[in-house]
Amino acid sequence: MRFGWLAAAYAVQTAAAAVPQARDNASCTKTTVAILGGGMAGIAAAQALSNSSIHDFVIIEYRDTIGGRVAHTEFGKDPNGKPYNVEIGANWVQGLGSPGGPENPIWTFAKKWNVSNTYSNYSNILTYNETGYTDYSSVLDDFEEMYEEASEQAGIILKENLQDQTARTGLALAGWRPRHDDMAAQAVEWWEWDWEDAFSPAESSFVFGAAGENLTFNQFSDANNFVWDQRGYSRIIHGEASTFLKKDDPRLHLNSRVSNISYTNNGVTVYKDDGSCVSAAYAVCTFSLGVLQSKTVKFSPKLPYWKRTAIEKFNMGTYTKIFLQFNETFWPADTEYFLYASPTTRGYYPVWQSLAAPGFIPESNILFVTVVAEEAYRVERQSDEQTKKEVMAVLREMYPNITIPEPTAFMYPRWSTTPWSYGSYSNWPAATTLEMHQNFRANVDRLWFAGEATSAQYFGFLHGAWFEGRDAGQQIAALLKDKCSDVSSTMKECGDRRHYNVLKGSSPLADYTVFDGWSVSSFYSSS
């Protein structure tokens, strides 16, 4: 081991030698800050730079538009033959705001840009199994009662720096342990946990699964509003981008695929697959966890071991919405949600939502069902026809006394194989500490990272991406202006984000302050 430093130095030299060069017929431009990705985090970072009077930046975006995983697509037709827009990615504003309290920035943007949305009434739900309508709503009440106790215990564990455990363990200690053959209870658990986390309780952190929910819904509000605006949920991102980007702004590089990122403590060079490159003093990487894990983008030199370990430690979930349009609304028209308990398979087409419900798009006759994790991977691997056959069989079990026609339109995305995301959003695995997460979030030399997955307090949420993008932009602006001694009160720190070469079994929270003066420990002590 005494010669480890020599091997490490050789590895760095070798990696540096492998850095690609821009082709002679391609350009290599210079800028101060390169922002990789035009989703919520990337636009927030660029806006923060612009607000700090730093206008020399570029946004490098894979797609032909900004928005990232806040994405919609055309589907079906309205009564006049015009296609609807449906959200295939993010769909809710989660936690709005309360009088006299803080307001979720996403809710602020939704109001600012007049984005149409409706309160999601999770109590407006009917329950089904293979025999049709079957009332097991009391099981929903049982879970929620036990979850309240479990959530309080998760707060104690986090505050006291105790060992994390799986959500399965935490729920069981609160009294919730469904039998494997109790498919109604399995469906309820899926509705209450998997649908939010994209993984089962057995795969998820108890402490941080509960903390993410508590820090959002207790801090802002317990309301969720479903966005159905026909301009798309991404209207809020396009709107905020319009405050600092002009039409056809040359700083926005669309249809640009990054192939390699070379970084040092003096700057970052971003290489595109067309042979061109961008050289910057700093870069903010807002790639999804799925892209980072896919290794489709190379780093030169290779990211340090502590960073690679942190990237591989977290989970990228897949949340697949399957849309159907019919020539009529044959399901209960006033109901928002329908929960189906498969007799054989947990998570088999369990949660159905009606866009035809009052307050949404009543004339649309659109229904969609969501699957996650292994079921999402399974349906994304098979053909549309096979999936449609399975989905229709479930619908006919749910409504055995109705002759259900074939859908007039059918569609679903395949997030797990989409090359600019490779999944939908991140999940915090059990026994993964704040230190490990800080390693995922930490910068490497001049290369910074931001996104929903880098937010500890709002992990997996769209507002987490916004906070993280804003923070990265503000901190880089302060570094560029040499103003770290006079930073905004909304910034947790200034300068390099801390990483840990040696990880402990638990994470110190004393210095872990979240945005706007909140800290994890003080939050739980005041809840």
Side-chain angles (χ1 to χ4, degrees):
M1 295 300 292
R2 70 182 70 177
F3 299 110
W5 65 272
L6 183 60
Y10 177 77
V12 170
Q13 290 177 343
T14 302
V19 175
Q21 302 296 317
R23 291 196 290 266
D24 292 339
N25 61 347
S27 62
C28 193
T29 59
K30 290 186 177 182
T31 190
T32 302
V33 183
I35 298 167
L36 313 182
M40 178 56 81
I43 296 304
Q47 187 177 51
L49 290 168
S50 184
N51 290 344
S52 299
S53 299
I54 293 175
H55 307 291
D56 182 26
F57 58 80
V58 299
I59 303 170
I60 303 173
E61 168 56 40
Y62 185 105
R63 301 169 65 209
D64 60 0
T65 186
I66 62 174
R69 285 167 279 162
V70 185
H72 60 273
T73 192
E74 293 183 347
F75 176 72
K77 293 180 180 179
D78 69 13
N80 297 316
K82 180 182 177 181
Y84 289 105
N85 275 322
V86 294
E87 302 295 331
I88 56 174
N91 222 142
W92 280 266
V93 184
Q94 295 175 297
L96 309 183
S98 55
E103 185 170 277
N104 187 331
I106 307 303
W107 178 235
T108 304
F109 300 149
K111 293 186 296 181
K112 177 180 179 179
W113 300 105
N114 298 312
V115 171
S116 300
N117 61 89
T118 300
Y119 170 69
S120 272
N121 183 2
Y122 295 136
S123 297
N124 186 3
I125 182 172
L126 296 174
T127 55
Y128 298 77
N129 63 16
E130 75 279 9
T131 67
Y133 171 73
T134 305
D135 186 4
Y136 48 89
S137 58
S138 62
V139 185
L140 290 164
D141 297 332
D142 292 342
F143 182 96
E144 289 170 8
E145 180 180 345
M146 296 176 194
Y147 182 78
E148 184 174 350
E149 178 182 339
S151 181
E152 291 176 1
Q153 185 61 34
I156 294 171
I157 292 172
L158 183 58
K159 180 182 175 183
E160 300 297 330
N161 279 335
L162 303 178
Q163 185 66 48
D164 188 18
Q165 53 206 24
T166 66
R168 166 69 62 229
T169 300
L171 291 170
L173 289 170
W176 176 262
R177 178 176 283 281
R179 299 191 320 270
H180 291 292
D181 60 350
D182 185 346
M183 302 311 290
Q186 294 290 341
V188 165
E189 181 180 87
W190 194 101
W191 156 268
E192 298 280 3
W193 188 275
D194 300 45
W195 193 42
E196 181 68 38
D197 284 51
F199 282 87
S200 72
E203 300 165 287
S204 304
S205 165
F206 176 47
V207 167
F208 293 102
E213 182 173 326
N214 287 341
L215 285 163
T216 288
F217 297 116
N218 290 351
Q219 182 181 359
F220 299 127
S221 76
D222 60 0
N224 284 286
N225 280 26
F226 184 91
V227 174
W228 50 270
D229 195 295
Q230 289 305 288
R231 297 168 298 172
Y233 194 176
S234 61
R235 168 61 182 153
I236 66 171
I237 299 178
H238 284 270
E240 289 304 299
S242 72
T243 65
F244 61 90
L245 288 178
K246 302 172 184 175
K247 184 179 180 181
D248 299 322
D249 199 308
R251 294 175 297 176
L252 178 58
H253 298 189
L254 298 174
N255 296 306
S256 297
R257 303 181 182 184
V258 175
S259 58
N260 188 286
I261 301 170
S262 173
Y263 64 92
T264 69
N265 202 31
N266 295 315
V268 181
T269 303
V270 180
Y271 296 88
K272 303 178 187 179
D273 66 356
D274 65 359
S276 65
C277 68
V278 174
S279 177
Y282 288 88
V284 183
C285 178
T286 71
F287 296 156
S288 73
L289 173 63
V291 168
L292 292 173
Q293 290 179 338
S294 73
K295 298 178 177 60
T296 53
V297 176
K298 306 300 181 185
F299 292 89
S300 304
K302 183 184 291 187
L303 291 173
Y305 185 77
W306 58 263
K307 187 73 173 182
R308 287 181 283 128
T309 302
I311 289 171
E312 296 298 343
K313 179 66 174 175
F314 289 88
N315 295 328
M316 187 66 178
T318 296
Y319 184 102
T320 307
K321 289 181 277 190
I322 302 167
F323 293 88
L324 304 94
Q325 185 182 41
F326 295 90
N327 55 17
E328 62 177 337
T329 299
F330 59 81
W331 55 93
D334 293 337
T335 304
E336 290 182 37
Y337 295 100
F338 310 88
L339 180 62
Y340 170 73
S342 165
T344 59
T345 306
R346 183 183 184 279
Y348 188 82
Y349 304 115
V351 172
W352 299 73
Q353 293 175 248
S354 174
L355 283 182
F360 297 86
I361 316 176
E363 76 282 0
S364 67
N365 301 325
I366 293 176
L367 188 67
F368 68 98
V369 59
T370 301
V371 290
V372 302
E374 292 304 320
E375 280 300 297
Y377 303 141
R378 186 184 67 81
V379 302
E380 291 189 9
R381 286 194 301 266
Q382 66 189 19
S383 68
D384 282 17
E385 282 303 312
Q386 179 59 36
T387 301
K388 182 167 70 172
K389 180 180 178 181
E390 294 175 355
V391 164
M392 292 302 296
V394 168
L395 270 180
R396 286 166 178 145
E397 286 185 356
M398 293 170 66
Y399 300 102
N401 299 321
I402 297 175
T403 300
I404 300 176
E406 287 295 302
T408 56
F410 181 86
M411 179 275 299
Y412 61 96
R414 286 170 168 79
W415 281 109
S416 65
T417 57
T418 298
W420 51 268
S421 66
Y422 288 117
S424 302
Y425 56 86
S426 51
N427 168 271
W428 197 305
T432 303
T433 66
L434 274 172
E435 289 180 345
M436 181 64 78
H437 184 266
Q438 287 293 86
N439 280 4
F440 176 58
R441 183 175 185 266
N443 60 293
V444 182
D445 292 333
R446 294 286 188 93
L447 178 62
W448 288 59
F449 295 81
E452 50 87 9
T454 66
S455 173
Q457 60 273 34
Y458 307 122
F459 189 82
F461 287 98
L462 183 60
H463 46 282
W466 184 83
F467 277 122
E468 285 292 286
R470 182 190 69 164
D471 182 69
Q474 287 179 335
Q475 291 199 51
I476 290 173
L479 288 166
L480 287 167
K481 294 186 171 186
D482 195 22
K483 289 187 176 181
C484 274
S485 60
D486 183 31
V487 297
S488 166
S489 62
T490 61
M491 293 170 58
K492 293 185 292 184
E493 56 197 339
C494 190
D496 289 350
R497 290 173 172 173
R498 179 188 304 181
H499 77 269
Y500 297 85
N501 288 313
V502 178
L503 296 171
K504 303 180 182 69
S506 60
S507 299
L509 297 177
D511 59 348
Y512 195 78
T513 304
V514 300
F515 296 99
D516 300 318
W518 289 77
S519 70
V520 175
S521 55
S522 65
F523 175 83
Y524 274 104
S525 63
S526 62
S527 298

